[in-house]
Amino acid sequence: MASILNHHIAIVCLLSYISFSTFNFVSSISSSTYIVYVNPSHKPAPYHTHAAWHAALLQSLTIDPSYHLLYSYSSNSAFAASLLPHHVPLLASHSSTLHIHPDTFTPLLTTRSPTFLGLPPYLSSVPSSNPSMDVIVGVLDTGVWPEHPSFSDAGFSAVPSRWRGECESGPDFASSVCNLKLIGARSFSRGYQAAGGNTSAASPRDLNGHGTHTATTAAGSPVANASLFGYASGIARGMAPGARVAVYKVCWTQGCYGSDILAGINGAIEDGVDVLSMSLGGGSAPFFRDPVAVGTFSAIQRGIFVACSAGNSGPTPSSLTNTAPWIATVGAGSLDRDFPAYAQLGNGKQYTGVSLYSGGWNEKEILPVVYNKGVQVGSNSSKLCLPGTLDSAQVKGKVVLCDRGMNSRVEKGLVVKEAGGVGMILVNQAANGEELLADSHILPAIAVGAKNGDIIRDYVLSDQNPTVQISFAGTVLNVKPSPVVAAFSSRGPSTLVPELLKPDMIGPGLNILAGWTKSVAPSGLTADERQSDFNIVSGTSMSCPHIGGLSALLKAAHPDWSPGAIKSALMTTAYMLDNTGSPLHDSANGTQLATPWAYGSGHVDPVKALSPGLIYNTTTEDYIAFLCTLGYTIQQIRVITSSNSTCSHKLSTPGNLNYPSFSVVFGQRSRKVVKYQREVTNVGPAGSIYNVQVTGPASVSVSVKPQKLAFRQVGQKLRFTVTFKSVKVGSRWDAEFGWLTWNNGHNQVRSPIAYTWNY
Ligand SMILES: *[C@@H]1O[C@H](CO)[C@@H](O)[C@H](O)[C@H]1NC(C)=O
Ligand SMILES: *[C@@H]1O[C@H](CO)[C@@H](O)[C@H](O)[C@H]1NC(C)=O
Ligand SMILES: *[C@@H]1O[C@H](CO)[C@@H](O)[C@H](O)[C@H]1NC(C)=O
Ligand SMILES: *[C@@H]1O[C@H](CO)[C@@H](O)[C@H](O)[C@H]1NC(C)=O
Ligand SMILES: *[C@@H]1O[C@H](CO)[C@@H](O)[C@H](O)[C@H]1NC(C)=O
Ligand SMILES: *[C@@H]1O[C@H](CO)[C@@H](O)[C@H](O)[C@H]1NC(C)=O
């Protein structure tokens, strides 16, 4: 999944011995980190804290906690320990242990987006009466560049008194850098260190850029004249410019460890955040083995809204991560903003692509263009512009055409530049489709889609003397169609729970401008000496903090809404028509329409989400009943719930969770009829009367009982039952889609329905 991220986080190598500053391991070479979940009801009364009990438990097994205990988690009944091989069976067989698993490793997964989302204009400062000032957004990521202008606290009142967090000092981070806007900054690196990672300068400072980008997207203060070297210029601001930000650095140079993520989530819960935005994750382990799922369950229990990236592994089906029902799983779409550039070939034909190039460039100059000029290194040809594959003699002074794939897009530019090339045409592979990612390349470069790229490549290979003129057209707005689902955005169906429709929604995630660190260039290349306060990046890492920030606005407007209610409001008001009135397209194949497996309920519409009419509320008890239907053992469920759950209450199927969307799987045990129940809460005016509308494929007959819901009061709850009957014989993995909408003439409370046949 990391390949599409601009700042690729590679897999950590467990090779070198590191001398630990804080933990002086006797033999760290053979030790590995484990996360150990213990039964909270086994804690003997004399131990006042979980930490003391965890230490005693290790001691009783002659495992010295001062050497081996990395973290004690207070919100989850668990700890992380660096264990020698013979320790593992001792702990696994201890009567208090519910579950033990090796630490996990995960990669990391604006000026335009507020207007695009229809948020009211927000000028140069934050009004002091802004209700979102009481909302605290926690961001788990690569840390923060605290001096960034987006963390200006001009106009902010005192920090809410319930805040218990801190601003940790470090070698390059004074605790005085926090202010009334950036109210907390902490770092968690014990898991990373135990795996051999170098955190010699452990502090919350962002040396990557990803964390500053996500934090400023969620809740950056307004900054006038923001741009990346003139591109995407305007007032940059986060989704909730009035909210406070607390940053938890859990991802380091090479990635993020589950033990650190769990510690960061626990820290954020204790500190008192209201929202968690987590642009990280990977894989699809069962919920009890996934620290993001386990940690965020504790957050939800305490009323904290959680947004996570859906992943960047699209358009491959079933490529989602972070699919627990208590998480808002966020995919990515495009904005209506583009950065066009043109390649005029020697044969007179002109092709359009994108570029962020700025600087001296003679648009009149006709330059020779070459492809695949160099030496094959192993199985790697020069087509991909991998390091060491270009021949300077044949490339010098020329524009080089490079195919996408294998190495990062910006590294290809560096390879061309170092070989003496003067420009690059970067061509999409078929799987990238026509989606154009704008990157801050180190040399003049134009990115083109697969179709145009194939034509240009054919020209370069067949013409005797191929040439190109490249010109740049700056920033263009009101691009149509938009939004379009990003090709890289991970897709459903969910493999863990096919009866749960995921992702939940999409938000802006393509070519997003937001704050950046001063410690690396916008290209992320060490060879690049440029600096910028802002950068343009793409990924579901960028769409996730949009939803995190918007949830803070909803929380400010409706302080009594549960996280499930906020998610329901965002989902049932999302739209699925683009700015040309067509259903949303899929960038992976521009001619095809996207489906709810790509966009969930649709694209977020924050203004409508403020008054959704009806809410599909979900409580902690609902989630526990849902977990109890998944076939997990009671121990595995207790790992997630940190309580004495007994599964006395189960759902008839996981699809019966009171969720704002539907996924119907026909054929399990030859079922042709699936029945789901839901309950909706009236958050609109008293006296609202809703009628149901169902659209969808002819292959399913749908009946809803009752067809009319009449609410006498605000806050009243009414139930309905939907019966789905397959009237065709579907083949395995056949899929179709439909919608169920409650309409009162003013609100359309819309839910997508995904149908799968699994005979
Ligand atoms: C769990 O159950 C045990 C025995 O059934 C009880 O003593 C204990 O108080 C319970 N703990 C919690 C956290 O509910
Ligand atoms: C660890 O990082 C620091 C600063 O980032 C660097 O000075 C040091 O050489 C690194 N150590 C190792 C073992 O890589
Ligand atoms: C923004 O840029 C414009 C034009 O370059 C300039 O007139 C204005 O003073 C700048 N505003 C700020 C706040 O820097
Ligand atoms: C091909 O290039 C990739 C990416 O740079 C590299 O990891 C791999 O080792 C190369 N393969 C060979 C055979 O050189
Ligand atoms: C949803 O359920 C929670 C937990 O039971 C409750 O606090 C909340 O008031 C309910 N309604 C809404 C709209 O959040
Ligand atoms: C896009 O979809 C159309 C219609 O299904 C199909 O014919 C075409 O081959 C697809 N193109 C790509 C690049 O997948």
Side-chain angles (χ1 to χ4, degrees):
M1 85 178 298
S3 61
I4 197 89
L5 293 170
N6 274 37
H7 301 279
H8 183 116
I9 306 292
I11 302 293
V12 77
C13 310
L14 302 159
L15 23 97
S16 57
Y17 176 81
I18 305 275
S19 65
F20 293 85
S21 47
T22 31
F23 304 95
N24 211 357
F25 292 102
V26 187
S27 166
S28 56
I29 287 182
S30 53
S31 67
S32 316
T33 305
Y34 286 81
I35 302 178
V36 186
Y37 294 89
V38 286
N39 193 331
S41 61
H42 286 197
K43 182 168 80 68
Y47 297 111
H48 291 297
T49 65
H50 283 279
W53 174 43
H54 298 156
L57 196 154
L58 285 171
Q59 206 116 44
S60 74
L61 298 172
T62 68
I63 305 171
D64 185 346
S66 62
Y67 284 97
H68 295 282
L69 184 61
L70 299 181
Y71 291 113
S72 220
Y73 304 114
S74 55
S75 302
N76 302 95
S77 183
F79 57 89
S82 179
L83 299 173
L84 294 167
H86 73 274
H87 293 150
V88 179
L90 289 178
L91 268 165
S93 58
H94 193 281
S95 61
S96 293
T97 302
L98 292 171
H99 184 63
I100 173 167
H101 69 78
D103 202 359
T104 61
F105 175 81
T106 46
L108 270 171
L109 284 205
T110 111
T111 45
R112 184 62 182 164
S113 39
T115 318
F116 182 70
L117 291 170
L119 292 173
Y122 207 101
L123 298 172
S124 51
S125 70
V126 174
S128 52
S129 61
N130 192 316
S132 64
M133 273 190 193
D134 289 334
V135 183
I136 301 163
V137 179
V139 180
L140 264 75
D141 212 298
T142 63
V144 68
W145 194 263
E147 297 83 6
H148 196 277
S150 295
F151 299 114
S152 159
D153 65 355
F156 276 75
S157 52
V159 174
S161 58
R162 66 198 164 83
W163 177 243
R164 292 179 301 273
E166 57 179 309
C167 193
E168 284 176 4
S169 63
D172 53 4
F173 204 96
S175 60
S176 58
V177 296
C178 290
N179 60 15
L180 301 175
K181 172 76 186 178
L182 179 66
I183 63 172
R186 299 174 64 181
S187 77
F188 301 85
S189 61
R190 292 176 194 170
Y192 184 64
Q193 284 185 4
N198 177 8
T199 53
S200 63
S203 87
R205 186 165 292 275
D206 180 12
L207 304 179
N208 175 288
H210 194 274
T212 303
H213 204 276
T214 54
T216 56
T217 297
S221 293
V223 179
N225 282 1
S227 76
L228 172 66
F229 306 135
Y231 280 93
S233 64
I235 298 172
R237 64 165 175 101
M239 294 300 103
R244 322 278 180 156
V245 179
V247 159
Y248 300 84
K249 179 170 177 176
V250 296
C251 295
W252 301 84
T253 318
Q254 284 156 315
C256 342
Y257 279 88
S259 53
D260 295 328
I261 294 173
L262 207 45
I265 299 173
N266 268 259
I269 292 171
E270 286 162 23
D271 292 350
V273 305
D274 301 298
V275 169
L276 268 178
S277 180
M278 300 177 49
S279 294
L280 49 84
S284 55
F287 301 135
F288 58 87
R289 280 186 70 104
D290 176 356
V292 172
V294 171
T296 55
F297 189 90
S298 305
I300 290 288
Q301 277 179 310
R302 289 158 180 83
I304 299 168
F305 180 90
V306 181
C308 291
S309 304
N312 297 339
S313 304
T316 310
S318 292
S319 47
L320 294 167
T321 185
N322 298 322
T323 56
W326 47 91
I327 292 173
T329 311
V330 186
S334 64
L335 289 176
D336 62 343
R337 179 179 65 195
D338 209 352
F339 312 103
Y342 307 101
Q344 167 104 28
L345 305 184
N347 63 9
K349 299 237 169 69
Q350 178 174 288
Y351 299 93
T352 305
V354 303
S355 183
L356 294 178
Y357 184 69
S358 64
W361 181 251
N362 181 357
E363 302 199 339
K364 300 250 154 44
E365 191 170 7
I366 297 173
L367 291 161
V369 52
V370 294
Y371 175 61
N372 195 19
K373 292 290 182 205
V375 282
Q376 178 141 340
V377 178
S379 53
N380 293 331
S381 75
S382 318
K383 295 174 180 173
L384 296 165
C385 302
L386 300 175
T389 63
L390 291 183
D391 172 16
S392 317
Q394 300 184 74
V395 161
K396 202 170 180 16
K398 297 176 182 160
V399 171
V400 181
L401 187 147
C402 302
D403 292 331
R404 267 179 72 180
M406 299 284 283
N407 61 342
S408 77
R409 301 182 299 275
V410 289
E411 189 184 65
K412 293 172 194 289
L414 180 65
V415 169
V416 172
K417 187 175 183 187
E418 286 182 340
V422 295
M424 174 171 70
I425 302 174
L426 182 64
V427 175
N428 276 2
Q429 304 266 16
N432 314 124
E434 302 307 303
E435 174 168 285
L436 297 176
L437 303 175
D439 299 302
S440 184
H441 288 286
I442 198 165
L443 85 176
I446 172 171
V448 297
K451 278 187 210 141
N452 285 348
D454 289 346
I455 300 171
I456 299 172
R457 193 189 299 104
D458 284 347
Y459 162 75
V460 174
L461 288 173
S462 61
D463 196 278
Q464 294 288 309
N465 182 22
T467 61
V468 66
Q469 268 174 287
I470 299 177
S471 55
F472 305 101
T475 306
V476 170
L477 299 179
N478 302 315
V479 170
K480 288 180 179 165
S482 61
V484 173
V485 179
F488 60 74
S489 192
S490 285
R491 308 303 162 94
S494 161
T495 47
L496 283 182
V497 189
E499 297 88 349
L500 189 66
L501 178 51
K502 288 276 176 172
D504 292 310
M505 65 194 100
I506 60 169
L510 190 78
N511 301 335
I512 301 302
L513 182 105
W516 200 245
T517 175
K518 281 246 196 281
S519 81
V520 287
S523 67
L525 297 168
T526 40
D528 188 349
E529 286 176 353
R530 296 173 298 172
Q531 281 194 340
S532 173
D533 275 340
F534 291 89
N535 197 7
I536 293 173
V537 227
S538 299
T540 54
S541 286
M542 283 64 243
S543 55
C544 166
H546 277 88
I547 303 304
L550 294 175
S551 74
L553 295 182
L554 289 185
K555 193 129 190 162
H558 303 286
D560 55 328
W561 282 10
S562 68
I566 292 174
K567 184 163 69 171
S568 175
L570 290 166
M571 287 170 68
T572 60
T573 59
Y575 60 89
M576 12 67 80
L577 296 181
D578 65 26
N579 60 1
T580 70
S582 156
L584 298 178
H585 279 83
D586 190 333
S587 198
N589 182 335
T591 57
Q592 266 186 344
L593 296 181
T595 73
W597 280 348
Y599 58 69
S601 294
H603 190 284
V604 65
D605 183 340
V607 175
K608 276 198 175 155
L610 284 167
S611 35
L614 301 177
I615 286 287
Y616 292 80
N617 203 1
T618 28
T619 64
T620 305
E621 289 66 40
D622 296 334
Y623 295 129
I624 294 174
F626 166 88
L627 291 168
C628 290
T629 60
L630 296 183
Y632 293 174
T633 66
I634 207 82
Q635 279 83 1
Q636 290 165 343
I637 288 165
R638 289 177 179 179
V639 162
I640 302 167
T641 62
S642 312
S643 70
N644 269 358
S645 323
T646 57
C647 285
S648 52
H649 177 47
K650 282 189 187 184
L651 306 174
S652 56
T653 139
N656 243 344
L657 179 69
N658 199 40
Y659 213 68
S661 60
F662 298 85
S663 179
V664 177
V665 184
F666 294 116
Q668 281 174 335
R669 299 184 296 275
S670 303
R671 267 204 303 183
K672 281 186 171 253
V673 178
V674 172
K675 210 176 254 200
Y676 286 160
Q677 275 162 14
R678 293 290 190 270
E679 180 187 78
V680 282
T681 309
N682 178 29
V683 294
S688 297
I689 298 174
Y690 286 85
N691 289 294
V692 78
Q693 296 163 340
V694 179
T695 56
S699 50
V700 184
S701 93
V702 181
S703 71
V704 182
K705 278 196 184 125
Q707 303 236 323
K708 183 192 287 270
L709 298 176
F711 293 91
R712 277 167 285 112
Q713 292 153 20
V714 180
Q716 188 184 348
K717 298 172 183 160
L718 290 174
R719 298 179 71 83
F720 64 94
T721 303
V722 197
T723 308
F724 306 95
K725 187 172 176 206
S726 169
V727 296
K728 76 166 185 183
V729 181
S731 53
R732 199 168 161 75
W733 301 128
D734 231 0
E736 297 193 67
F737 302 91
W739 298 88
L740 183 149
T741 307
W742 288 103
N743 191 336
N744 68 350
H746 174 66
N747 295 99
Q748 284 82 44
V749 186
R750 188 171 42 228
S751 299
I753 313 167
Y755 300 102
T756 336
W757 283 262
N758 182 17
Y759 288 107

